[in-house]
Amino acid sequence: MSTEPSSEIATGLVLVTHGQIGQSLLDVAEFILAQSLAEVGFVSFRQSAMEHTGEAEIKRAIKAADQGQGVLVMADIGGASPFNQVASLLPECGAELVTGLNLAMLIRAWNYRQQAAHRLAILAAEGAIRDIREYQS
């Protein structure tokens, strides 16, 4: 696996998911693509009586991912806490946000990360939707 970060300017990618869902998707995507996705930021959203993922953690991930072409944040479930937390930060951070994160969305976003953030959001969502099908026997 290549561990060299890309030298080209690209749209930054950040996953904000419940628990370790995002890390698991990154691990599988790295296996499928046979390359490191170390450039992809990941925030494991935690919300309990003992711990809570704060705005600062998400802001840091977005700032770290921004190479000057914007950032696409992908959340697992629309309307859930990770999505709502990111959505509340969008005016301040200027990132794009899509929800319904799945493996197809992540791989498509990675493969097309040279696109501008707004265009990449559309491409990532299209890839995720295209991968959802019902099969009948």
Side-chain angles (χ1 to χ4, degrees), residues 105-119:
M105 178 188 285
L106 173 57
I107 290 173
R108 187 164 174 114
W110 177 258
N111 285 333
Y112 289 94
R113 67 192 184 281
Q114 303 307 352
Q115 298 288 322
H118 178 71
R119 177 74 181 130

Side-chain angles (χ1 to χ4, degrees), residues 5-35:
S6 171
S7 62
E8 298 177 27
I9 293 178
T11 295
L13 302 175
V14 175
L15 309 181
V16 181
T17 67
H18 291 90
Q20 295 299 311
I21 294 169
Q23 186 60 58
S24 295
L25 288 171
L26 284 168
D27 292 345
V28 175
E30 285 182 337
F31 175 76
I32 291 170
L33 297 169
Q35 59 184 280

Side-chain angles (χ1 to χ4, degrees), residues 16-19 21-22 25 74-78 80 82-83 98-102:
V16 181
T17 67
H18 291 90
I21 294 169
L25 288 171
M74 294 172 274
D76 51 5
I77 301 174
F83 173 87
V98 294
T99 188
L101 175 61
N102 63 21

Side-chain angles (χ1 to χ4, degrees), residues 18 44-54 81:
H18 291 90
S44 172
F45 195 88
R46 297 170 307 280
Q47 188 172 18
S48 70
M50 300 295 286
E51 57 184 333
H52 177 75
T53 301
S81 295

Side-chain angles (χ1 to χ4, degrees), residues 11 69 96 115-123:
T11 295
Q69 189 166 309
E96 297 286 331
Q115 298 288 322
H118 178 71
R119 177 74 181 130
L120 184 57
I122 294 167
L123 290 170

